[in-house]
Amino acid sequence: MTTATGDAWVEGPDGSRFWGRFGAAGLLAWDPARGVLMQHRASWSHFGDTWGLPGGARHVDEDAVTGAIREAGEEAGVSGDDLEVVTTSVLDLGFWSYTTVVARVLHPFEPVISDPESIALAWVPVDEVSELPLHPGFAASWPGLRGLLVG
């Protein structure tokens, strides 16, 4: 696998911009006892000072699951060994896509801020997620994603 990153903006037909030349992916890590792992995004980031999922641009030949777990490892110290992937949810705009990887936590862990993209990381009870100031994309997808958390 090449390590060519997708760290670049993609512009849509209407001029809107999306991060990730090869698309992007995020990890919805769910621990039934503690809730969902949320990332408070740095103010300088796209839609900064909002809460969302650890994630980011996929590499050139990286599938979404690999990309989401790599990004969550870089941003929050998440190990794929602690997770069981349950499903994925894809927003496909034709010219760009974002995949949310829904994973159940098998082995409880404490996230660690491991790069400057995070102000804070927290386990947020599922019923309290929508009370946070959410990244607009995550806010729009949360009702559907919440329905994928079962068991």
Side-chain angles (χ1 to χ4, degrees):
M1 176 170 115
T2 179
T3 58
T5 72
D7 290 348
W9 291 103
V10 172
E11 189 169 313
D14 64 355
S16 57
R17 294 176 1 140
F18 301 86
W19 185 247
R21 186 172 26 171
F22 311 111
L27 179 71
L28 177 56
W30 172 57
D31 181 332
R34 298 186 293 169
V36 175
L37 177 60
M38 299 291 294
Q39 175 193 47
H40 190 181
R41 302 163 52 80
S43 59
W44 53 263
S45 67
H46 194 229
F47 293 110
D49 205 28
T50 60
W51 288 82
L53 303 177
R58 290 171 46 192
H59 289 178
V60 65
D61 57 359
E62 183 174 59
D63 65 76
V65 171
T66 302
I69 292 172
R70 176 187 51 76
E71 283 283 338
E74 292 173 5
E75 297 177 358
V78 177
S79 168
D81 294 339
D82 293 328
L83 307 170
E84 173 187 26
V85 174
V86 175
T87 192
T88 60
S89 176
V90 181
L91 169 68
D92 188 347
L93 302 178
F95 61 91
W96 181 85
S97 67
Y98 184 91
T99 302
T100 303
V101 176
V102 179
R104 185 180 178 114
V105 173
L106 297 174
H107 311 288
F109 63 90
E110 289 306 317
V112 176
I113 295 175
S114 40
D115 78 2
E117 294 180 43
S118 301
I119 296 171
L121 298 164
W123 290 103
V124 178
V126 171
D127 291 339
E128 297 175 18
V129 169
S130 60
E131 296 172 16
L132 297 170
L134 298 175
H135 178 285
F138 180 71
S141 65
W142 174 239
L145 292 170
R146 181 180 177 162
L148 299 175
L149 305 178
V150 293

